[in-house]
mmCIF file with all atom_site columns, all heavy atoms in Angstrom:
data_model
loop_
_atom_site.group_PDB
_atom_site.id
_atom_site.type_symbol
_atom_site.label_atom_id
_atom_site.label_alt_id
_atom_site.label_comp_id
_atom_site.label_asym_id
_atom_site.label_entity_id
_atom_site.label_seq_id
_atom_site.pdbx_PDB_ins_code
_atom_site.Cartn_x
_atom_site.Cartn_y
_atom_site.Cartn_z
_atom_site.occupancy
_atom_site.B_iso_or_equiv
_atom_site.pdbx_formal_charge
_atom_site.auth_seq_id
_atom_site.auth_comp_id
_atom_site.auth_asym_id
_atom_site.auth_atom_id
_atom_site.pdbx_PDB_model_num
ATOM 1  N N   . VAL A 1 180 ? 21.584 -8.586  6.243  1.00 96.00 ? 180 VAL A N   1
ATOM 2  C CA  . VAL A 1 180 ? 20.487 -8.760  5.230  1.00 96.00 ? 180 VAL A CA  1
ATOM 3  C C   . VAL A 1 180 ? 19.627 -9.919  5.581  1.00 96.00 ? 180 VAL A C   1
ATOM 4  O O   . VAL A 1 180 ? 20.185 -11.056 5.716  1.00 96.00 ? 180 VAL A O   1
ATOM 5  C CB  . VAL A 1 180 ? 21.093 -8.830  3.801  1.00 96.00 ? 180 VAL A CB  1
ATOM 6  C CG1 . VAL A 1 180 ? 19.952 -8.936  2.756  1.00 96.00 ? 180 VAL A CG1 1
ATOM 7  C CG2 . VAL A 1 180 ? 22.060 -7.726  3.511  1.00 96.00 ? 180 VAL A CG2 1
ATOM 8  N N   . THR A 1 182 ? 16.594 -12.327 4.169  1.00 93.00 ? 182 THR A N   1
ATOM 9  C CA  . THR A 1 182 ? 15.864 -12.650 2.969  1.00 93.00 ? 182 THR A CA  1
ATOM 10 C C   . THR A 1 182 ? 15.017 -13.907 3.247  1.00 93.00 ? 182 THR A C   1
ATOM 11 O O   . THR A 1 182 ? 15.162 -14.487 4.339  1.00 93.00 ? 182 THR A O   1
ATOM 12 C CB  . THR A 1 182 ? 16.893 -12.998 1.761  1.00 93.00 ? 182 THR A CB  1
ATOM 13 O OG1 . THR A 1 182 ? 17.621 -14.204 2.155  1.00 93.00 ? 182 THR A OG1 1
ATOM 14 C CG2 . THR A 1 182 ? 17.835 -11.880 1.610  1.00 93.00 ? 182 THR A CG2 1
ATOM 15 N N   . MET A 1 193 ? 27.379 -12.919 0.279  1.00 91.00 ? 193 MET A N   1
ATOM 16 C CA  . MET A 1 193 ? 27.036 -11.694 0.965  1.00 91.00 ? 193 MET A CA  1
ATOM 17 C C   . MET A 1 193 ? 28.270 -11.097 1.674  1.00 91.00 ? 193 MET A C   1
ATOM 18 O O   . MET A 1 193 ? 28.108 -9.977  2.222  1.00 91.00 ? 193 MET A O   1
ATOM 19 C CB  . MET A 1 193 ? 25.956 -12.025 2.060  1.00 91.00 ? 193 MET A CB  1
ATOM 20 C CG  . MET A 1 193 ? 24.629 -12.433 1.478  1.00 91.00 ? 193 MET A CG  1
ATOM 21 S SD  . MET A 1 193 ? 23.658 -11.032 0.900  1.00 91.00 ? 193 MET A SD  1
ATOM 22 C CE  . MET A 1 193 ? 22.078 -11.802 0.635  1.00 91.00 ? 193 MET A CE  1
ATOM 23 N N   . ARG A 1 196 ? 28.845 -8.848  4.479  1.00 94.00 ? 196 ARG A N   1
ATOM 24 C CA  . ARG A 1 196 ? 27.572 -8.665  5.102  1.00 94.00 ? 196 ARG A CA  1
ATOM 25 C C   . ARG A 1 196 ? 27.080 -10.011 5.771  1.00 94.00 ? 196 ARG A C   1
ATOM 26 O O   . ARG A 1 196 ? 27.293 -11.032 5.285  1.00 94.00 ? 196 ARG A O   1
ATOM 27 C CB  . ARG A 1 196 ? 26.493 -8.277  4.043  1.00 94.00 ? 196 ARG A CB  1
ATOM 28 C CG  . ARG A 1 196 ? 26.853 -7.062  3.269  1.00 94.00 ? 196 ARG A CG  1
ATOM 29 C CD  . ARG A 1 196 ? 25.909 -6.880  2.049  1.00 94.00 ? 196 ARG A CD  1
ATOM 30 N NE  . ARG A 1 196 ? 26.398 -5.856  1.178  1.00 94.00 ? 196 ARG A NE  1
ATOM 31 C CZ  . ARG A 1 196 ? 27.254 -6.012  0.225  1.00 94.00 ? 196 ARG A CZ  1
ATOM 32 N NH1 . ARG A 1 196 ? 27.773 -7.175  -0.035 1.00 94.00 ? 196 ARG A NH1 1
ATOM 33 N NH2 . ARG A 1 196 ? 27.604 -5.013  -0.542 1.00 94.00 ? 196 ARG A NH2 1
ATOM 34 N N   . GLU A 1 197 ? 26.402 -9.832  6.909  1.00 95.00 ? 197 GLU A N   1
ATOM 35 C CA  . GLU A 1 197 ? 25.811 -10.962 7.547  1.00 95.00 ? 197 GLU A CA  1
ATOM 36 C C   . GLU A 1 197 ? 24.464 -11.281 6.833  1.00 95.00 ? 197 GLU A C   1
ATOM 37 O O   . GLU A 1 197 ? 23.728 -10.385 6.503  1.00 95.00 ? 197 GLU A O   1
ATOM 38 C CB  . GLU A 1 197 ? 25.634 -10.602 9.017  1.00 95.00 ? 197 GLU A CB  1
ATOM 39 C CG  . GLU A 1 197 ? 25.072 -11.807 9.798  1.00 95.00 ? 197 GLU A CG  1
ATOM 40 C CD  . GLU A 1 197 ? 24.912 -11.531 11.335 1.00 95.00 ? 197 GLU A CD  1
ATOM 41 O OE1 . GLU A 1 197 ? 25.393 -10.447 11.739 1.00 95.00 ? 197 GLU A OE1 1
ATOM 42 O OE2 . GLU A 1 197 ? 24.412 -12.408 12.050 1.00 95.00 ? 197 GLU A OE2 1
ATOM 43 N N   . HIS A 1 198 ? 24.173 -12.490 6.698  1.00 93.00 ? 198 HIS A N   1
ATOM 44 C CA  . HIS A 1 198 ? 22.977 -12.936 6.013  1.00 93.00 ? 198 HIS A CA  1
ATOM 45 C C   . HIS A 1 198 ? 22.148 -13.824 6.858  1.00 93.00 ? 198 HIS A C   1
ATOM 46 O O   . HIS A 1 198 ? 22.636 -14.900 7.335  1.00 93.00 ? 198 HIS A O   1
ATOM 47 C CB  . HIS A 1 198 ? 23.343 -13.653 4.654  1.00 93.00 ? 198 HIS A CB  1
ATOM 48 C CG  . HIS A 1 198 ? 22.185 -14.152 3.903  1.00 93.00 ? 198 HIS A CG  1
ATOM 49 N ND1 . HIS A 1 198 ? 22.166 -15.275 3.139  1.00 93.00 ? 198 HIS A ND1 1
ATOM 50 C CD2 . HIS A 1 198 ? 20.877 -13.583 3.808  1.00 93.00 ? 198 HIS A CD2 1
ATOM 51 C CE1 . HIS A 1 198 ? 21.011 -15.391 2.557  1.00 93.00 ? 198 HIS A CE1 1
ATOM 52 N NE2 . HIS A 1 198 ? 20.195 -14.418 2.937  1.00 93.00 ? 198 HIS A NE2 1
ATOM 53 N N   . LEU A 1 199 ? 20.901 -13.499 6.976  1.00 90.00 ? 199 LEU A N   1
ATOM 54 C CA  . LEU A 1 199 ? 19.914 -14.353 7.738  1.00 90.00 ? 199 LEU A CA  1
ATOM 55 C C   . LEU A 1 199 ? 18.798 -14.707 6.694  1.00 90.00 ? 199 LEU A C   1
ATOM 56 O O   . LEU A 1 199 ? 18.374 -13.810 5.970  1.00 90.00 ? 199 LEU A O   1
ATOM 57 C CB  . LEU A 1 199 ? 19.316 -13.640 8.933  1.00 90.00 ? 199 LEU A CB  1
ATOM 58 C CG  . LEU A 1 199 ? 20.341 -13.104 9.966  1.00 90.00 ? 199 LEU A CG  1
ATOM 59 C CD1 . LEU A 1 199 ? 19.566 -12.321 11.134 1.00 90.00 ? 199 LEU A CD1 1
ATOM 60 C CD2 . LEU A 1 199 ? 21.101 -14.358 10.620 1.00 90.00 ? 199 LEU A CD2 1
#
Side-chain angles (χ1 to χ4, degrees):
V180 184
T182 68
M193 294 279 187
R196 304 169 188 85
E197 185 178 353
H198 180 213
L199 303 176

